[in-house]
Amino acid sequence: MLLSEVDGLTAATPQEWDALRIKYLSKKGVVNDLMADFRNVPAEQKREVGMKLNELKTALQEKLAALKETMAASEDNHDDLDLTRTPYPVRLGTRHPLTLVRNEIIDIFSRLGFTLADGPEVEDDWHVFGSMNFADDHPARDMQDTFFVTRQPDVLLRTHTSSVQSRVMETMQPPIRVICPGRVYRNEAISARAHCFFHQVEGLYIDKNVSFADLKQVLLTFAREMFGADTKIRLRPSYFPFTEPSAEMDISCNICGGKGCAFCKQTGWVEILGCGMVDPNVLEANGIDSSIYTGYAFGMGVERITNLKYQVKDLRMFSENDVRFLEEFQSAN
Ligand code: DAH
């Protein structure tokens, strides 16, 4: 048998392969026969013939191993695989609209130099009310407005993110420039326009010589970034225990462009946040010297801003997790 013959061997089925193995490599196979004849080879040729024999044996073993592999590979050769078929669509999840808007708010204020701060949702009276200059008999301290976990000592669900102002001032000295996004709770009957929990973003800036003009400029920049470059703002005097003076800010209605529509009740303006200069009592209560520092603060409702951006008419949509609603935010990033 010649070495070159080995190359030409084929086996399409396990049976054919086995036949080859028996024919060449079994006890009574060709190779063993040749080995047996080896005895008769003249001594001076033994070396050369021996080498040839070994070569032949190895070549056969390798060939059979290779044939076995090709056979195994062709067993699962996926002849029915259609490489031109379009892939199954990947179902991507969507971000919650409130998350999208919160992230956008964070983005805008980050660009203005604000960093993030955080505080607990289960709070004590001091951080939610006391440190924020609420009078002892303020109605927010009433069970009608606030969810209490325990009373005396009072442990409650924070009713606003202003509590994080106090948390921040406890651990930092000015300059302070933070925004605090988070969930807040109020004892309200759930309806299309009110919910027992919602989301706010609080802002706080304290440094030397911070003025109301600084506040106004930052809020104007925010409004334009959020609602478009020709958005107008107006500030109306208001009252909050923790700011003096206080204001509420309206933006020109982004639905009718300020002309007047049902959404803005024909006024052309919609309210989006409360703000003011941090009351010196608040600075002092939180360990900051009000003779050196001044500051401003603001707080906005994320649901409110989301409603304006996406015209969600019913607040309950945000917490019902109806996928038909959530999937509408598919294209937003
Ligand atoms: N905490 C207020 C609320 O929940 C919102 C607010 C108003 C926050 C004025 C502020 C502010 O920081 O200066 O209605």
Side-chain angles (χ1 to χ4, degrees):
M1 185 192 189
L2 292 174
L3 204 52
S4 57
E5 281 174 41
V6 177
D7 263 352
L9 298 179
T10 55
T13 62
Q15 289 76 14
E16 286 178 24
W17 184 86
D18 224 34
L20 289 181
R21 186 187 58 79
I22 290 163
K23 179 169 176 196
Y24 293 106
L25 293 172
S26 67
K27 260 194 179 154
K28 297 195 173 139
V30 173
V31 172
N32 265 0
D33 283 353
L34 290 170
M35 292 287 187
D37 289 348
F38 187 65
R39 269 183 277 123
N40 310 324
V41 174
E44 65 276 16
Q45 288 177 21
K46 269 210 155 75
R47 203 179 118 83
E48 202 191 335
V49 174
M51 266 166 57
K52 283 251 154 65
L53 255 176
N54 272 335
E55 246 176 80
L56 181 66
K57 187 175 176 185
T58 320
L60 275 165
Q61 282 168 338
E62 280 172 4
K63 181 69 187 180
L64 278 162
L67 284 175
K68 192 170 201 167
E69 235 170 71
T70 356
M71 236 164 40
S74 66
E75 254 170 31
D76 50 7
N77 66 354
H78 300 299
D79 276 343
D80 55 344
L81 195 68
D82 178 2
L83 294 176
T84 63
R85 192 183 172 286
T86 48
Y88 290 110
V90 179
R91 271 177 70 91
L92 282 182
T94 57
R95 282 199 203 286
H96 193 282
L98 293 177
T99 308
L100 292 173
V101 170
R102 184 204 59 191
N103 288 351
E104 209 176 327
I105 297 170
I106 292 174
D107 237 45
I108 295 168
F109 283 105
S110 302
R111 292 201 292 274
L112 295 170
F114 288 77
T115 53
L116 282 176
D118 203 0
E121 291 176 17
V122 180
E123 263 293 10
D124 50 37
D125 178 275
W126 170 252
H127 290 96
V128 178
F129 300 126
S131 67
M132 287 289 111
N133 201 34
F134 281 71
D136 284 341
D137 57 353
H138 193 283
R141 287 187 142 140
D142 198 278
M143 288 185 75
Q144 240 126 61
D145 296 296
T146 302
F147 288 119
F148 285 87
V149 180
T150 64
R151 301 225 68 165
Q152 286 168 348
D154 286 346
V155 175
L156 47 99
L157 301 184
R158 66 179 179 196
T159 56
H160 57 181
T161 45
S162 301
S163 56
V164 187
Q165 287 192 31
S166 171
R167 293 268 167 201
V168 169
M169 287 187 257
E170 270 175 357
T171 53
M172 282 171 84
Q173 277 296 308
I176 291 171
R177 183 155 42 175
V178 292
I179 53 165
C180 329
R183 182 174 283 184
V184 300
Y185 301 83
R186 286 186 199 172
N187 195 354
E188 303 253 10
I190 296 170
S191 72
R193 303 175 57 87
H195 210 292
C196 59
F197 67 78
F198 53 99
H199 301 80
Q200 292 186 329
V201 176
E202 191 82 12
L204 178 67
Y205 182 27
I206 304 171
D207 204 348
K208 289 176 184 152
N209 303 317
V210 177
S211 72
F212 202 94
D214 298 328
L215 169 64
K216 210 171 155 184
Q217 184 57 46
V218 157
L219 293 180
L220 176 63
T221 305
F222 166 71
R224 288 181 170 167
E225 290 283 317
M226 195 75 199
F227 297 104
D230 34 71
T231 306
K232 295 186 190 61
I233 62 167
R234 80 174 179 189
L235 289 152
R236 284 178 290 101
S238 184
Y239 173 78
F240 299 102
F242 32 90
T243 43
E244 181 58 36
S246 304
E248 277 169 319
M249 186 174 98
D250 300 339
I251 58 161
S252 49
C253 177
N254 74 322
I255 289 161
C256 62
K259 288 187 204 66
C261 66
F263 189 82
C264 61
K265 301 198 188 82
Q266 311 304 328
T267 63
W269 296 96
V270 283
E271 186 200 318
I272 64 160
L273 56 81
C275 61
M277 300 306 291
V278 179
D279 194 303
N281 288 345
V282 171
L283 294 175
E284 294 296 333
N286 290 287
I288 289 175
D289 190 339
S290 65
S291 66
I292 305 176
Y293 297 108
T294 52
Y296 64 68
F298 54 85
M300 65 186 85
V302 182
E303 278 80 353
R304 176 102 187 120
I305 304 220
T306 310
N307 284 350
L308 274 168
K309 276 201 86 112
Y310 296 113
Q311 277 112 63
V312 179
K313 301 240 159 50
D314 189 329
L315 267 181
R316 290 170 291 197
M317 302 287 275
F318 290 127
S319 49
E320 278 171 355
N321 281 339
D322 183 332
V323 285
R324 291 167 301 181
F325 168 70
L326 297 175
E327 276 173 356
E328 298 211 4
F329 300 88
Q330 192 84 255
S331 60
N333 61 2

Coordinates of all heavy atoms in Angstrom, one line a residue, residues 165 174 176 203-212 214-215 242-245 275-280 283 288 290 292-298:
Q165 N -32.1 70.1 51.9 CA -31.3 71.3 52.1 C -30.7 71.2 53.5 O -29.5 71.5 53.6 CB -32.3 72.5 52.1 CG -32.8 73.0 50.8 CD -33.5 74.3 50.9 OE1 -33.1 75.2 51.8 NE2 -34.5 74.6 50.1
P174 N -20.5 76.6 52.9 CA -20.5 77.2 51.6 C -19.1 77.3 51.0 O -18.1 77.3 51.8 CB -21.1 78.6 51.9 CG -21.8 78.5 53.2 CD -21.1 77.4 54.0
I176 N -22.1 76.1 48.6 CA -22.9 75.0 48.4 C -23.7 75.2 47.1 O -24.3 76.3 46.9 CB -23.9 74.8 49.6 CG1 -23.1 74.4 50.8 CG2 -24.9 73.7 49.2 CD1 -24.0 74.4 52.1
G203 N -33.3 72.8 44.7 CA -32.0 73.4 44.3 C -31.6 74.3 45.5 O -32.4 74.9 46.2
L204 N -30.3 74.3 45.7 CA -29.8 75.2 46.8 C -28.4 75.7 46.5 O -27.6 75.0 46.0 CB -29.7 74.3 48.1 CG -29.1 75.1 49.4 CD1 -30.1 76.2 49.8 CD2 -28.8 74.1 50.5
Y205 N -28.3 77.0 46.6 CA -27.0 77.7 46.3 C -26.7 78.7 47.4 O -27.5 79.6 47.7 CB -27.2 78.4 44.9 CG -25.9 79.1 44.5 CD1 -24.6 78.6 44.9 CD2 -25.9 80.2 43.6 CE1 -23.5 79.2 44.4 CE2 -24.8 80.8 43.2 CZ -23.5 80.3 43.6 OH -22.4 80.9 43.1
I206 N -25.6 78.4 48.1 CA -25.2 79.3 49.2 C -23.8 79.7 49.0 O -22.9 78.9 48.8 CB -25.4 78.7 50.6 CG1 -26.8 78.2 50.8 CG2 -25.1 79.7 51.7 CD1 -27.0 77.3 52.0
D207 N -23.6 81.0 49.1 CA -22.2 81.5 49.0 C -22.2 83.0 49.4 O -23.3 83.5 49.9 CB -21.7 81.4 47.5 CG -20.2 81.4 47.4 OD1 -19.5 81.7 48.4 OD2 -19.7 81.1 46.3
K208 N -21.1 83.7 49.3 CA -21.1 85.1 49.6 C -21.7 85.8 48.5 O -21.5 85.5 47.3 CB -19.7 85.6 49.8 CG -19.1 85.1 51.1 CD -17.6 85.5 51.3 CE -17.0 84.8 52.5 NZ -15.6 84.6 52.5
N209 N -22.5 86.9 48.8 CA -23.1 87.7 47.8 C -24.0 87.1 46.8 O -24.1 87.5 45.6 CB -22.0 88.5 47.0 CG -21.1 89.3 47.9 OD1 -21.6 90.0 48.8 ND2 -19.8 89.2 47.7
V210 N -24.7 86.0 47.2 CA -25.7 85.5 46.2 C -26.9 86.3 46.2 O -27.4 86.7 47.3 CB -26.1 84.0 46.6 CG1 -27.1 83.5 45.7 CG2 -24.8 83.1 46.6
S211 N -27.4 86.7 45.1 CA -28.6 87.6 45.0 C -29.8 87.0 44.3 O -29.7 86.0 43.6 CB -28.1 88.9 44.3 OG -28.0 88.6 42.9
F212 N -30.9 87.7 44.4 CA -32.1 87.3 43.7 C -31.9 87.3 42.2 O -32.5 86.5 41.5 CB -33.3 88.2 44.1 CG -34.6 87.6 43.9 CD1 -35.3 86.9 44.9 CD2 -35.2 87.6 42.7 CE1 -36.5 86.4 44.8 CE2 -36.5 87.1 42.5 CZ -37.1 86.4 43.5
D214 N -29.2 86.4 40.7 CA -28.6 85.1 40.3 C -29.6 84.0 40.2 O -29.6 83.2 39.3 CB -27.6 84.7 41.4 CG -26.4 85.7 41.6 OD1 -26.1 86.3 40.6 OD2 -26.0 85.9 42.7
L215 N -30.6 84.0 41.1 CA -31.6 83.0 41.1 C -32.4 83.1 39.8 O -32.7 82.2 39.1 CB -32.6 83.2 42.3 CG -33.9 82.5 42.3 CD1 -33.6 81.0 42.4 CD2 -34.7 82.9 43.5
F242 N -39.4 78.9 54.4 CA -37.9 78.7 54.4 C -37.2 79.7 53.5 O -36.0 79.7 53.3 CB -37.5 77.3 54.0 CG -38.5 76.7 53.0 CD1 -38.4 76.8 51.7 CD2 -39.6 76.0 53.5 CE1 -39.3 76.2 50.8 CE2 -40.6 75.4 52.7 CZ -40.4 75.5 51.3
T243 N -38.0 80.6 52.8 CA -37.4 81.6 51.9 C -38.0 83.0 52.2 O -39.2 83.1 52.6 CB -37.6 81.3 50.4 OG1 -38.9 80.8 50.2 CG2 -36.6 80.2 50.0
E244 N -37.2 84.0 52.0 CA -37.6 85.4 52.2 C -36.7 86.3 51.4 O -35.5 86.4 51.7 CB -37.6 85.7 53.7 CG -38.1 87.1 54.0 CD -39.5 87.4 53.5 OE1 -40.3 86.5 53.5 OE2 -39.8 88.5 53.0
P245 N -37.2 87.0 50.4 CA -38.5 86.9 49.8 C -38.7 85.5 49.1 O -37.8 84.9 48.7 CB -38.6 88.0 48.8 CG -37.2 88.2 48.4 CD -36.4 87.9 49.6
C275 N -39.6 79.3 44.7 CA -38.2 79.7 44.9 C -38.1 80.9 45.9 O -39.1 81.4 46.3 CB -37.6 80.0 43.6 SG -38.4 81.4 42.7
G276 N -36.9 81.3 46.2 CA -36.7 82.4 47.0 C -35.3 82.5 47.5 O -34.5 81.6 47.3
M277 N -35.0 83.5 48.3 CA -33.8 83.6 49.0 C -33.9 82.9 50.3 O -34.8 83.0 51.0 CB -33.4 85.1 49.3 CG -33.3 86.0 48.0 SD -32.2 85.3 46.8 CE -30.6 85.6 47.6
V278 N -32.9 82.1 50.6 CA -32.9 81.2 51.8 C -33.1 82.1 53.0 O -32.3 83.1 53.2 CB -31.6 80.4 52.0 CG1 -31.7 79.5 53.2 CG2 -31.5 79.5 50.7
D279 N -34.1 81.9 53.8 CA -34.4 82.7 55.0 C -33.2 82.6 56.0 O -32.7 81.5 56.2 CB -35.6 82.2 55.7 CG -36.2 83.1 56.8 OD1 -35.4 83.5 57.7 OD2 -37.3 83.5 56.6
P280 N -32.7 83.7 56.5 CA -31.5 83.7 57.4 C -31.8 82.7 58.6 O -30.8 82.1 59.1 CB -31.4 85.1 57.9 CG -32.0 86.0 56.8 CD -33.1 85.1 56.2
L283 N -30.6 79.4 57.5 CA -29.1 79.3 57.5 C -28.6 79.1 59.0 O -27.8 78.2 59.2 CB -28.5 80.6 56.9 CG -28.7 80.8 55.4 CD1 -28.2 82.2 55.0 CD2 -28.1 79.7 54.6
I288 N -25.1 77.8 59.5 CA -24.3 78.6 58.5 C -24.5 80.1 58.9 O -25.6 80.5 59.2 CB -24.8 78.4 57.1 CG1 -24.4 77.0 56.7 CG2 -24.3 79.4 56.1 CD1 -24.9 76.5 55.3
S290 N -25.3 83.6 58.8 CA -26.1 84.4 57.9 C -25.6 85.8 57.7 O -26.1 86.6 56.9 CB -27.6 84.4 58.3 OG -27.7 85.1 59.5
I292 N -22.5 86.3 56.9 CA -21.5 86.2 55.9 C -22.1 85.6 54.6 O -21.8 86.1 53.5 CB -20.4 85.2 56.3 CG1 -19.8 85.6 57.6 CG2 -19.3 85.0 55.2 CD1 -18.7 84.6 58.2
Y293 N -23.0 84.7 54.7 CA -23.5 84.0 53.5 C -25.0 84.4 53.2 O -25.8 84.6 54.1 CB -23.4 82.5 53.7 CG -22.0 82.1 53.8 CD1 -21.4 81.6 55.0 CD2 -21.1 82.1 52.7 CE1 -20.1 81.2 55.1 CE2 -19.8 81.7 52.8 CZ -19.3 81.3 54.0 OH -18.0 80.9 54.1
T294 N -25.3 84.3 51.9 CA -26.7 84.4 51.5 C -26.9 83.2 50.5 O -25.9 82.6 50.0 CB -27.1 85.7 50.8 OG1 -26.1 86.0 49.8 CG2 -27.1 86.8 51.8
G295 N -28.1 82.9 50.2 CA -28.4 81.8 49.3 C -29.7 81.9 48.6 O -30.6 82.6 49.1
Y296 N -29.9 81.1 47.6 CA -31.3 80.9 47.1 C -31.6 79.5 47.0 O -30.7 78.6 47.1 CB -31.4 81.6 45.7 CG -30.6 81.0 44.6 CD1 -30.8 79.8 44.0 CD2 -29.6 81.8 44.0 CE1 -30.1 79.3 43.0 CE2 -28.8 81.3 42.9 CZ -29.1 80.1 42.4 OH -28.3 79.6 41.4
A297 N -32.9 79.2 46.9 CA -33.4 77.8 46.9 C -34.6 77.8 45.9 O -35.2 78.8 45.7 CB -33.8 77.3 48.2
F298 N -34.8 76.6 45.4 CA -36.0 76.5 44.5 C -36.4 75.0 44.6 O -35.6 74.1 45.0 CB -35.8 76.9 43.1 CG -34.6 76.2 42.4 CD1 -34.7 75.0 41.8 CD2 -33.3 76.8 42.4 CE1 -33.6 74.3 41.2 CE2 -32.2 76.2 41.8 CZ -32.4 75.0 41.2

